[in-house]
Amino acid sequence: MIKIGRRGSLTGHLTAHGMQGHTAYPHLADNAAHRLVAMLHMLTTAELDRGTAHFQPSTLQVSTIDIGNPASNLIPASAQATFNIRLQRLLDQRDAETLADRTA
């Protein structure tokens, strides 16, 4: 089997900050979980690339979400997520100038 290249990988960590509060008084808080979900939605719905004849499009997968909230009636002040991107198209580019432009 002849291969052009291997997939690359990028891991990202995302933290959203808000203001903790009680669920009975949401107007006095800023829910970090809502902020995190909105950011993750933007990341997971964005087209990274369209792939090539040799590689499928790059993909982004959320691997962990953590709020660390032991109570069910507290609005969290912070929320974290980890995601992984499998970069596939960049590795298929044979033109060094194109690759340098994309990574700059």
Side-chain angles (χ1 to χ4, degrees):
M1 175 185 297
I2 298 173
K3 293 186 179 184
I4 292 172
R6 294 180 52 140
R7 295 187 226 183
S9 175
L10 178 139
T11 298
H13 303 279
L14 183 62
T15 300
H17 297 281
M19 189 167 78
Q20 186 175 17
H22 195 281
T23 57
Y25 307 101
H27 58 287
L28 300 176
D30 181 6
N31 196 324
H34 293 181
R35 290 176 174 267
L36 182 69
V37 168
M39 289 187 279
L40 289 174
H41 176 72
M42 289 173 28
L43 288 172
T44 59
T45 58
E47 181 181 86
L48 302 175
D49 60 55
R50 294 186 178 169
T52 68
H54 302 288
F55 287 98
Q56 299 170 341
S58 297
T59 60
L60 182 148
Q61 298 298 316
V62 176
S63 54
T64 65
I65 297 174
D66 182 31
I67 295 173
N69 193 350
S72 63
N73 62 349
L74 287 179
I75 295 170
S78 68
Q80 297 81 33
T82 301
F83 59 90
N84 185 267
I85 299 175
R86 288 295 168 164
L87 303 164
Q88 299 179 47
R89 182 171 184 229
L90 291 178
L91 297 171
D92 189 27
Q93 301 296 322
R94 294 184 202 103
D95 180 339
E97 185 177 313
T98 301
L99 182 58
D101 289 345
R102 291 183 178 274
T103 57

